[in-house]
């Protein structure tokens, strides 16, 4: 099956309210063009430099999709990331929120959408804020005072597990925090996006309330790192 056919048949099995973000790390420009032609609306990058290169190589295709930053951004790469990103899914501290806000202000860009990344498994090797309602609420309140970034929801990876059922508790925890922040009715933010679920876990994530899944392997095949 071609990438386009594969995408279309997968899309049919996923509820309409769930956005598919293609995680395009290691994929070629032609593969990404093919999936955009098939109707893909959102792409996600882990690495700033890869994102810039693809943005330039995609040419007119770049404007057909929304661009998500789904990897950690070092402070010295924020300007480069802003060059192509519409949504930054990896905000996990006041410092990072402030740094991005400041650079958007200087760039002349419109307000940039952001998600708070939750380290739902509390893994020391992973980025993200602790899955603690008070901590997430404090960061959400801080962002609500910033003029150049707008909080639109939460993202989580969760610990990688062979058995997707093992991801369920982490998705539940993240959804609980999502609901709690919604209930606070913080002005100037809009809790609408819950980004969780990858190729092996997206079905469980959707059952637990995800409305944005980030897929690589299941769209394009296994990644080959060279
Ligand atoms: C690579 C990646 C994905 C997709 O992973 P697959 O298992 O290939 O679907 C999703 N989210 C993030 C942050 C990633 O880096």
């Amino acid at each position: 099956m071609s990438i386009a056919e594969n995408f279309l048949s997968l899309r049919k099995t996923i509820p309409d309210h769930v956005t598919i973000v293609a995680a395009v790390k290691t994929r070629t420009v032609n593969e990404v063009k093919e999936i955009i032609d098939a109707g893909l609306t959102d792409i996600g990058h882990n690495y700033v430099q890869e994102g810039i290169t693809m943005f330039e190589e995609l040419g007119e295709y770049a404007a057909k999709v929304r661009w998500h930053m789904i990897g950690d951004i070092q402070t010295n790469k924020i300007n480069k990331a802003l060059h192509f990103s519409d949504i930054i899914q990896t905000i996990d501290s006041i410092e990072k929120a402030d740094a991005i806000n400041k650079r958007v202000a200087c760039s002349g860009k419109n307000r940039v959408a952001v998600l708070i990344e939750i380290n739902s498994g509390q893994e020391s090797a992973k980025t993200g804020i602790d899955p603690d309602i008070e901590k997430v609420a404090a960061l959400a309140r801080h962002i609500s005072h910033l003029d150049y970034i707008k909080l639109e929801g939460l993202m989580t990876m969760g610990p990688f597990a062979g058995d997707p059922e093992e991801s369920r508790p982490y998705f539940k925890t993240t959804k609980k925090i999502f609901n709690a922040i919604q209930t606070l009715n913080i002005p100037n933010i809009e809790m609408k996006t819950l980004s969780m679920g990858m190729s092996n876990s997206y079905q469980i994530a959707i059952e637990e309330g995800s409305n944005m899944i980030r897929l690589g392997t299941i769209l394009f095949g296994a990644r080959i790192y060279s």
Side-chain angles (χ1 to χ4, degrees), residues 1-8 22-43 45 50 54 57-58 61 65 215-226:
M1 221 189 321
S2 69
I3 289 174
E5 287 164 343
N6 183 46
F7 170 75
L8 288 171
V24 299
K25 57 186 177 274
T26 78
R27 308 303 173 178
T28 66
V29 169
N30 282 338
E31 288 174 311
V32 175
K33 280 185 176 169
E34 183 180 342
I35 201 164
I36 293 173
D37 277 335
L40 179 95
T41 54
D42 293 74
I43 67 175
H45 283 281
E50 245 180 48
M54 188 161 289
E57 290 179 351
L58 274 177
Y61 274 76
V65 286
L215 305 179
T217 311
I218 200 173
L219 295 178
F220 301 106
R223 268 186 297 281
I224 299 161
Y225 290 93
S226 50

Side-chain angles (χ1 to χ4, degrees), residues 23 25 46 70 157 198-199 214-217 223:
K25 57 186 177 274
N46 290 78
I70 58 175
M157 296 269 287
M198 305 177 18
S199 290
R214 307 177 310 272
L215 305 179
T217 311
R223 268 186 297 281

Side-chain angles (χ1 to χ4, degrees), residues 104-155:
V104 180
C106 296
S107 73
K109 263 186 93 136
N110 290 331
R111 212 157 167 217
V112 171
V114 302
L115 307 183
I116 292 176
E117 181 180 357
I118 311 290
N119 183 0
S120 54
Q122 295 185 277
E123 297 168 280
S124 56
K126 285 222 172 95
T127 51
I129 184 170
D130 286 344
D132 174 291
I133 290 170
E134 290 311 314
K135 284 187 190 173
V136 179
L139 180 53
R141 285 204 178 86
H142 183 85
I143 296 172
S144 76
H145 295 296
L146 301 177
D147 290 332
Y148 292 94
I149 60 177
K150 179 170 180 225
L151 183 60
E152 293 193 347
L154 305 181
M155 179 272 231

Side-chain angles (χ1 to χ4, degrees), residues 76-111:
N76 62 357
K77 299 224 172 103
I78 293 173
N79 281 334
K80 283 190 167 174
L82 288 174
H83 186 65
F84 62 86
S85 302
D86 300 304
I87 301 183
I88 296 175
Q89 299 205 4
T90 48
I91 305 291
D92 60 1
S93 69
I94 285 177
E95 293 71 28
K96 204 168 282 177
D98 284 344
I100 293 172
N101 184 65
K102 191 169 112 189
R103 282 170 181 76
V104 180
C106 296
S107 73
K109 263 186 93 136
N110 290 331
R111 212 157 167 217

